[in-house]
Every structure is written in structure tokens, then in C-alpha cells.
Amino acid sequence: MSVSGRYLSRLFLQRLALIVFGFALMALLFDALNNADTIEKRYGDGFLVVPRYMLFRLPEMAALITPFSTLLAALLTLLSLAQQNEVLAFKAAGMSFYRILLLLMPATALVAGIHLAVADQVTPWAKKRLARFELEKPTDDETSQRDQAKGVWLRDPTYIVNVASVQREGRYLSGVALIRRDRSANVIERIVAGGARYQRNGQWKLENVITQTINPLGPTTTRSEDGTWQTPLRPGDFFNLAALSTQFTARELLVLRTGTTVGTRPGYTYDTWLQRRLALPGVVFVMLLLAAPVAQARVRMSSLGARLAAGVSLGFLFFITDGVSQALGESGAVLPLVAAWAPPLIFASVAGSILLRIEGL
């Protein structure tokens, strides 16, 4: 790498590191303060609970703010070069603005690679590690009611299964209901348990069990402190039901998309998540392209702050468009490939066209 390339990369990466660190720290503090009660009820009230929570939430926050931070870092770098007439100095030395952007590409590629690794590997690992510290039996009645409203249904070879909430990576289930029907689809047995804990022998141990059996002579109800549930369903199957897109790696999303494992969402939803994951590096490059025409626009009486605001507005417009496109892909309204790749390609094309018009071919 040339001296100019090292100089530009250092300016860009220094600004990016400061922005990511500042925004991540601020987001973590707001998250911890806003969810203090929930953190205590879900993870306990020890001295290390909040710091541990913030540590395992850091990768997700960093992955979330990296694209916008890249846009800000690129804007500050290019605008400072223009403000101090360094762009004119580069051009006087025979280096076009396109060459300046090309020199920033290695640093941008490094950021894109790290961003993909954090989002696809570190964030799912951190969320799973954090889930291991969840309390098995939250004592908050309001939280329990809210979880029941989000209960999921599935079935194994014997029962139709309803689970109110999934905890500890799927190893503990609360609010379990097992319903068995005969060949005529009539309910003949209903088992309700306060919780189910996965055992090392592959079985589930039910707690506070109520069994209702329906037969021609009349229903019977029995109660017991515990019971055994034999099923091929494993903790990972229940974890997949409750997990969001950030909790899966690309490989896990690929498996869920094919339908070879348990999932509550349609295949096109998982496919949209997978395509968006693959498009993450491209989004980082789009942020650089969005900053370029704003920094080079020849607008009279335009201050540094006005140009920075214009660049930030373009970034917000991109993220709004990207969010709408994701929602359409998750609902099946558009193809997952289109939902994930259309916004980056459209904004990259528009930014490139504007830059070509400003600089000339």
C-alpha cells in the first residue's frame, strides 16, 4: 500500500473506531438503564449481572451501528480532506477523486469483513452465552403473561405441543401443554406442566404436572410433582422457535430455510434473513459510496455541517428503504434475493451516477 493509501486508511479507521466505540457504549448504557428491571428478573441481582449483560450485548450493538458509523466516518474523512484542500493537493499530484476512493477500498473491505464476522459468528455466540445465565423460573407475573401471548405451537409424533416461553437456549421451557388426539382428531389427553427441563439422557422432566384424560366414562384429572416426556424434540429445536435473526449464523439459516429442522416461520423468511446476512459487506461499501458525492458536491455557501447533515439524511433514507424491503421479504411479498440486495444496489447506482456527474467520466 502506498503512503497516500496508508494515510487515508488511518484517517478513516481512526474515526470509525471512535464512532463505533462511542455509539456502542452509549447504546449499551441506554439499554442497561432502560431494561434494568428486566435484567434483574431474568438474570438475577448479583454484582456482575449488569456488566456481564453489557459484555454479551456488545457484539450485537456493534454490528447494528457499524454501517451507520461507516457512513459517518467516510463523511468526516472526505469532508475534512475537502475542507483542508487536501483533495486539491491530491488532484494536483495527478490523483483523481476516484483514485482516492480506491485507496480507501482496502480499509473498507477490512471493515466489511469484520462486520460480517461479528454479525454472523460473534453475535449469535454471545446471545447464546447470555441465554445460559437466564433464571429458569422468572418470578415476574407480568413477564410470564407477556411470554404466554407469544407462545409457539408445534408437534412431535405423539402430542401437539404449546410452549409459553423458551429459556436457557431451549433447555428450560415454561408453560408447557401437551395435547394428544385420536385418529378422529378428538382430544383424548391433555398434559399441562409448569415447566420442562431437558435431561442428559435425552428426555424432558416435567414439573407440576396436571394430566387430564377424556374417555367415554368421563374425564379424569391427576396431579403430580413431576413426570417424563419422551420426544425427539431437542433444546435447539425450541431455541429456533424463539430466536430472532441475529441469533442465527448463516449456516443455521441455510438449514432452517430448507426446512430440515424445526422452525415456526416460512422458508422465505429465513431465506430473507440469509440473503441480508450475505449482503452485509455490500452495505458497508454502499456507505462509502453515499459519502463520496456529498463530499464532492459543489454547492455554494454549503458549510461542513450542511453537507454532513445531507449525508446522514441519505443514510437514514437507505436504512428506511432497507427496513421496508426486509419486511416485504419476510412477508413473502417480494423475493428474498430482491428484498436483501435491491436497496444496496439501487443506492450504490444512484450515488455512483451522481459522483460521475460531479467529477465527470
Side-chain angles (χ1 to χ4, degrees), residues 41-42 132-139 165 167-168 171-174 194-198 207:
K41 293 167 184 174
R42 292 186 64 181
R132 295 183 181 181
F133 294 99
E134 288 186 11
L135 300 179
E136 289 188 352
K137 300 177 181 178
T139 57
S165 64
Q167 303 164 23
R168 298 181 63 83
R171 298 195 304 276
Y172 186 84
L173 314 175
S174 63
R197 182 182 291 104
Y198 186 71
E207 303 172 348

Side-chain angles (χ1 to χ4, degrees), residues 39-46 49 133 135:
I39 294 172
E40 180 181 356
K41 293 167 184 174
R42 292 186 64 181
Y43 304 103
D45 55 359
V49 169
F133 294 99
L135 300 179

Side-chain angles (χ1 to χ4, degrees), residues 167-231:
Q167 303 164 23
R168 298 181 63 83
E169 294 185 279
R171 298 195 304 276
Y172 186 84
L173 314 175
S174 63
V176 180
L178 308 177
I179 302 173
R180 184 159 60 95
R181 302 189 296 181
D182 59 17
R183 293 183 178 180
S184 301
N186 297 315
V187 177
I188 59 176
E189 184 184 33
R190 183 172 183 265
I191 302 175
V192 179
R197 182 182 291 104
Y198 186 71
Q199 306 294 307
R200 292 184 178 180
N201 58 7
Q203 298 179 347
W204 292 86
K205 182 180 179 181
L206 302 177
E207 303 172 348
N208 301 322
V209 184
I210 301 176
T211 303
Q212 297 173 327
T213 303
I214 302 175
N215 54 57
L217 300 177
T220 60
T221 301
T222 59
R223 299 175 181 267
S224 60
E225 293 184 359
D226 55 39
T228 301
W229 173 30
Q230 296 183 358
T231 176

Side-chain angles (χ1 to χ4, degrees), residues 129-149:
R129 291 287 297 179
L130 181 61
R132 295 183 181 181
F133 294 99
E134 288 186 11
L135 300 179
E136 289 188 352
K137 300 177 181 178
T139 57
D140 182 46
D141 295 335
E142 181 183 355
T143 301
S144 299
Q145 293 175 2
R146 185 168 60 252
D147 289 338
Q148 289 177 3

